[in-house]
Amino acid sequence: FTLMNFYADWCSHCREFHPTWQKSAEKISSKMKFKDADGQEFEVKMLKINCVDFQDTCTSAQVQAFPTVRLYKRDGSFAPFTAKRTTEDLVAFITDQVAKSHHVKAKHHHIFREGCHVQGTMEVPRVPGEFHLEVDGRGTNINPALTNVSHRVNHLSFGSVDGSLASKGSNLISMMPDVPDFVKP
């Protein structure tokens, strides 16, 4: 659970709320435990986002007034905080919202414990640039809370598939005769 405070520096209500938010964060953020509907305990992290600096983020979150405080849940939904801006009311709001929530339980198939095993080749033009690896659900919605999309590249090499430095029958040395002067095994 994450309690988000969307604010703007120029907003007088935000400036008035700031000391209360700081005091509440010291008491609540990653310190207090809240029980969900299944009896499991959770911590709530409290974060602030300055909508002047991150206008696109606040626009995409459809923030229309300042300060806007929301409790984001693991399933991606959120509950807006509309009570009086006090530490006690924030605690009561969080306690109530977490108590109404059910823990998202997911059990992945055993083959997913090791992660992806991807092997293949790709042809990259000889120009400066970059390539990206991207997760694609092929038309299905990937729930980031239930999906491990972190990957580690264990090996990346350049050359032909058989390990030589030949490309389509051409020898790299013949294509770039000055390479041996700069490359040492």
Side-chain angles (χ1 to χ4, degrees):
F1 295 93
T2 305
L3 190 66
M4 292 289 300
N5 176 7
F6 297 92
Y7 73 98
D9 288 330
W10 51 261
C11 170
S12 62
H13 300 289
C14 297
R15 289 194 300 267
E16 287 175 24
F17 181 46
H18 176 77
T20 303
W21 180 265
Q22 290 301 107
K23 178 183 160 196
S24 301
E26 289 171 12
K27 180 179 178 179
I28 300 168
S29 190
S30 298
K31 293 178 180 83
M32 289 183 72
K33 303 277 188 192
F34 299 90
K35 285 190 178 183
D36 71 357
D38 302 318
Q40 286 193 289
E41 289 187 339
F42 289 93
E43 292 179 349
V44 172
K45 295 190 185 313
M46 293 178 65
L47 303 174
K48 289 173 48 172
I49 185 163
N50 186 341
C51 291
V52 173
D53 295 334
F54 297 95
Q55 190 173 15
D56 292 342
T57 302
C58 295
T59 301
S60 68
Q62 299 178 344
V63 174
Q64 299 176 352
F66 302 114
T68 293
V69 178
R70 296 175 178 168
L71 180 68
Y72 284 88
K73 301 175 187 180
R74 189 170 179 183
D75 64 2
S77 67
F78 68 86
F81 174 75
T82 57
K84 190 174 179 186
R85 296 184 198 115
T86 66
T87 300
E88 295 76 24
D89 285 343
L90 284 169
V91 170
F93 169 73
I94 294 167
T95 302
D96 179 60
Q97 290 300 314
V98 172
K100 292 178 185 177
S101 300
H102 288 277
H103 180 64
V104 177
K105 296 179 184 178
K107 185 173 181 180
H108 298 287
H109 193 275
H110 70 88
I111 65 170
F112 295 116
R113 288 190 196 125
E114 295 180 31
C116 298
H117 291 271
V118 178
Q119 183 175 342
T121 60
M122 69 178 165
E123 193 169 320
V124 181
R126 288 185 58 201
V127 295
E130 55 189 47
F131 67 91
H132 300 266
L133 303 174
E134 184 176 300
V135 174
D136 184 2
R138 302 279 182 212
T140 61
N141 186 7
I142 297 175
N143 183 343
L146 302 175
T147 307
N148 179 358
V149 293
S150 61
H151 290 78
R152 179 178 63 203
V153 176
N154 292 314
H155 178 79
L156 179 65
S157 61
F158 296 87
S160 69
V161 177
D162 65 6
S164 70
L165 291 177
S167 174
K168 294 189 179 181
S170 302
N171 188 317
L172 182 63
I173 302 301
S174 66
M175 293 181 344
M176 299 170 50
D178 57 340
V179 167
D181 296 334
F182 301 103
V183 178
K184 306 240 189 260

